[in-house]
Structures are given as C-alpha cells and as structure tokens.
Amino acid sequence: MYTIDNTELIDIRREFHQNPELGGSEYKTMERICRYLNAWGIEYEKGVAETGVVAIVRGRNKSAGSKCIGVRADIDALPIKEEADFDFRSLNEGVMHACGHDAHTAIALMTAKIIKSMEDKINGDVKFFFQPAEETTGGAERMIKHGCLKNPDVEFVFGLHVSTTLETGTIGIKYGKMMAASDEVSINVKGKSCHGAQPHNGADPIVAASSIVTALQTIVSRNVSPLNSAVVTIGSIHGGTQSNIIPDDVFMYGTIRTLDPETRIFMKKRISEIVENTTAALGTEGIVSFRESYGPLINNDTAVDLLRKTAEDVLGKENVKIIEYPDMGTEDFSYFCLHSKSCFFNLGCRTAGANEAYPIHSNKFIIDEACLQTGVKVQVENILNILK
C-alpha cells in the first residue's frame, strides 16, 4: 500500500504556481522538477526539447510481456497577469499558471514518487514526461522526436487536464475524437487601386474579401456533414487607408478547427477553391497559405477502457463522467496519440457544490486543491493495474 502526503502535494503545486515560466523559457521550472526527482532517487534526463524532463522508474518485478507506460504533464504558463487573491499567487509579473499546468506537474511528480516507492512490485517501467511549450510551439512533438517514447518503447500514455466544468472528485473521459486540430489560414486578396468615385477603373479587393468571408461559412453549413464538426473563423482583416480610395490589397487571417485528418484536408482544399474562384469572378486575385498547428486529439479505446475501469474503482462509477461532445480547442497531447495508445482525460477541479468557477485562461483562475489527490490516485492506480 501507499499513502499520499497531501501537505507535500499542495506545497509542490504552490511552489510551481508562484514561479510560472512561459513556453520555451521553463529553465527554473525544469531545475525544480529535477530537484524533487533527485531527492526521491528517480532517474531522469533533462534538457529534452530544451526545457523538458523525462524521468523513468524501472520496475524490478518484470516478466515476459512487461509494458512501459508514459505519464505526461505540461509545465509552461501563460502571459497573463494574475488577479486571484491568495498568498501563493505568481511572483513573475505578467505570467500566470492560468491553465493549471502547475497542478499537472505536481500530480505527475507525486505519482512518480509513489511509483518509485513501489518499484519492486511493478511489472514494467513508467516514464514521466514533464513537457514544455504546450501553450506555444508544441513541446510534445519535439520530445517525441528526441526519443522520449523509445528505449524502452512506451505502449500507453496517459495525460490529464484540470477542468472547472467538473466538480472535484470527478473526472471526464471521452472515447475517440476529444479535441480539434488547429490550422492558421492567411489570405491575400490582390486588387487594383483607384479612386472611390470611379470603382470601374479598378478591382476592389474589399468587396472580394467580404464575399470570401461570407462564402467560407458555407463550408461548415453546406459542405461538412451535420454529424461532423468544423469551425472557420476569420479573426483579422486589414485593407485600405482612406475612405475614398479602393486599395490594392486586403489581408485576412483566421483559423480552422477540425476533428479528423480527412476533414482537415478537405477544409483546406475547399477554402483554396472558394478564394480562387471568388476572386477570379470579381476581377481580383487570391493567394492562400496555411500554417499547421496541433493535430486532432483522438483517444485510443483500449487506453480509455483501462483508465475508465481504474477510475470507477477508485472514485465510483457515478463520478466518472462520459464526455458526449468533442472540444474544439487544441492540445498537443495529440502528438502522443499518433505514436502510442493514449488517453487524455479531464480532472474536475471546481469546488463541490459551487455552481460556477473562473475558467482556464482567466486571470482569476483557481482550482480546488483537493483535486490534486484525486489526480494522483487515478494515475497511480491506473499504473498499478496495468503493470500488475
């Protein structure tokens, strides 16, 4: 058996909360993680993807067919000035753990400590991925390219994210498509400048751009199945300098959200067709480019089944909520899903009985710290069940 030192767990979380660092700059966060791992005698490699850490506990009770499990925790913070009023608020002005990554890190560290204390009993190995830059440049992909899933090969990866939509003591699980892919789209509509009083002497890129914005919305409403989900958002338009001059160019920038690779490819193709044909019909020219971000997060059914059984045993069946619809937000845990049987789940962190709470990315975001113990219990028991 094992015990969770709840005081230590909360202290660890508060230490990281007070000392947030932005993605790609988590050098002191990395050193703090290593300090705990050193104290507990846990093997690790630091500097993975520059500021990440990969720790490993090697089970000593191995048999043929023993597995390796990965546990992922993201460690970066957000460029937000914290407004929450408590003693351990951020000491780094303008930077805040407004997405709960401090909680994720504390849960993973305590899980590692407990699994290390039970290494003689586990039939396999456990890797812990303390991953940088989830909010920015996709640290998961770089850690994987570095080889974090190899030597030994990782069969299952489990990750969690705190959620104020769920009460503390509950978790939310989702089979299959859980979160969306995100791509940025840039559109340059090239026209011909002229005086606003003689529009026939030019080619108006503002009229063409307006038609494009309207036409793009028909992709979701008329080209994507009502049983599927996609989002096209044009969030920025720039063109012209004077009210009586038709400009040469209009620039538009937006995002696309999709839930599977096929729809992702289709959306880009359809956007390109609409821009090309709309601009041609209006005597202008359209140039489209895309920048890929994170892919869709698609959970593996086997991994979800394992996590679900563990959670129902630990928390009670009534406290394991099945998420019905995907979230159109993004998560770079999706990269782990491409390489290993993976399960990402939500950890309730809203105080029981509270009707509402500040959401993630709010400058007043707070968690019910009792959720930390729930997260550790689920992760530890899940590891023990798989590696028994």
Side-chain angles (χ1 to χ4, degrees):
M1 292 298 292
Y2 62 90
T3 58
I4 299 173
D5 187 333
N6 196 49
T7 299
E8 181 181 32
L9 178 59
I10 290 174
D11 286 346
I12 292 171
R13 181 258 164 169
R14 292 183 177 184
E15 178 186 354
F16 284 100
H17 189 87
Q18 277 193 303
N19 297 278
E21 295 177 297
L22 297 176
S25 303
E26 310 97 326
Y27 295 100
K28 292 181 181 178
T29 300
M30 176 177 67
E31 294 302 333
R32 284 189 171 86
I33 291 167
C34 293
R35 189 183 76 232
Y36 284 107
L37 297 173
N38 283 328
W40 300 330
I42 297 174
E43 177 186 345
Y44 65 87
E45 177 186 3
K46 71 176 183 177
V48 180
E50 195 168 344
T51 51
V53 180
V54 177
I56 184 168
V57 175
R58 303 182 189 274
R60 297 177 181 174
N61 184 34
K62 295 179 184 177
S63 62
S66 62
K67 299 176 175 65
C68 180
I69 298 174
V71 174
R72 179 271 206 159
D74 36 12
I75 65 174
D76 57 324
L78 287 161
I80 294 174
K81 181 179 179 180
E82 184 164 23
E83 298 295 341
D85 185 19
F86 41 67
D87 293 341
F88 56 91
R89 60 184 173 270
S90 173
L91 299 176
N92 188 355
E93 184 71 17
V95 182
M96 175 190 175
H97 270 299
C99 207
H101 295 185
D102 53 333
H104 305 168
T105 302
I107 289 168
L109 279 169
M110 184 58 69
T111 301
K113 179 183 181 182
I114 291 169
I115 293 300
K116 177 65 177 176
S117 73
M118 305 178 75
E119 62 186 344
D120 290 336
K121 298 180 177 64
I122 59 173
N123 179 31
D125 301 319
V126 187
K127 289 184 177 181
F128 296 87
F129 308 129
F130 296 93
Q131 180 219 303
E134 188 279 327
E135 299 285 358
T136 52
T137 57
E141 183 180 32
R142 289 184 286 125
M143 290 189 86
I144 291 167
K145 287 180 177 178
H146 183 87
C148 72
L149 295 175
K150 300 294 183 182
N151 301 316
D153 292 348
V154 177
E155 182 173 354
F156 294 98
V157 181
F158 296 91
L160 59 78
H161 201 296
V162 292
S163 173
T164 55
T165 65
L166 296 167
E167 286 191 351
T168 297
T170 70
I171 68 164
I173 63 172
K174 176 78 173 68
Y175 285 90
K177 302 173 186 178
M178 183 171 183
M179 299 187 76
S182 176
D183 297 297
E184 294 181 5
V185 57
S186 300
I187 302 170
N188 176 201
V189 181
K190 302 179 73 66
K192 181 182 177 183
S193 181
C194 66
H195 195 290
Q198 293 101 33
H200 58 287
N201 290 328
D204 194 336
I206 290 180
V207 170
S210 301
S211 298
I212 289 169
V213 171
T214 301
L216 290 180
Q217 300 310 309
T218 67
I219 302 176
V220 175
S221 66
R222 289 297 178 266
N223 301 140
V224 175
S225 167
L227 302 180
N228 195 358
S229 294
V231 177
V232 181
T233 297
I234 298 298
S236 176
I237 301 179
H238 302 272
T241 57
Q242 299 295 325
S243 62
N244 64 341
I245 300 173
I246 291 173
D248 280 320
D249 293 276
V250 170
F251 298 92
M252 300 189 289
Y253 307 95
T255 58
I256 315 161
R257 301 294 175 109
T258 52
L259 291 170
D260 58 69
E262 295 77 21
T263 307
R264 191 180 195 184
I265 293 169
F266 171 78
M267 292 287 286
K268 294 177 185 177
K269 176 177 178 291
R270 192 74 187 101
I271 288 170
S272 297
E273 290 171 346
I274 286 175
V275 172
E276 179 183 348
N277 292 315
T278 302
T279 54
L282 295 172
T284 56
E285 179 188 0
I287 301 169
V288 183
S289 63
F290 300 96
R291 189 177 74 84
E292 286 195 356
S293 184
Y294 306 158
L297 194 165
I298 303 175
N299 279 331
N300 174 269
D301 286 355
T302 300
V304 177
D305 280 338
L306 290 169
L307 191 281
R308 180 179 183 176
K309 182 180 184 308
T310 294
E312 288 180 350
D313 289 343
V314 172
L315 306 177
K317 189 173 182 178
E318 70 280 4
N319 292 316
V320 179
K321 313 296 183 180
I322 306 300
I323 300 171
E324 187 174 1
Y325 300 108
D327 184 337
M328 298 308 288
T330 61
E331 233 298 340
D332 79 340
F333 186 84
S334 60
Y335 291 109
F336 291 108
C337 297
L338 294 174
H339 300 276
S340 301
K341 299 171 187 173
S342 300
C343 172
F344 193 70
F345 64 99
N346 290 335
L347 176 69
C349 69
R350 187 180 78 243
T351 303
N355 292 325
E356 58 183 4
Y358 291 107
I360 59 172
H361 290 215
S362 164
N363 60 6
K364 294 183 178 181
F365 172 74
I366 59 173
I367 66 168
D368 176 4
E369 290 180 316
C371 78
L372 302 173
Q373 194 162 144
T374 302
V376 173
K377 285 179 181 177
V378 171
Q379 292 283 40
V380 168
E381 291 296 333
N382 194 48
I383 292 168
L384 297 178
N385 285 339
I386 297 173
L387 300 184
K388 59 186 176 183

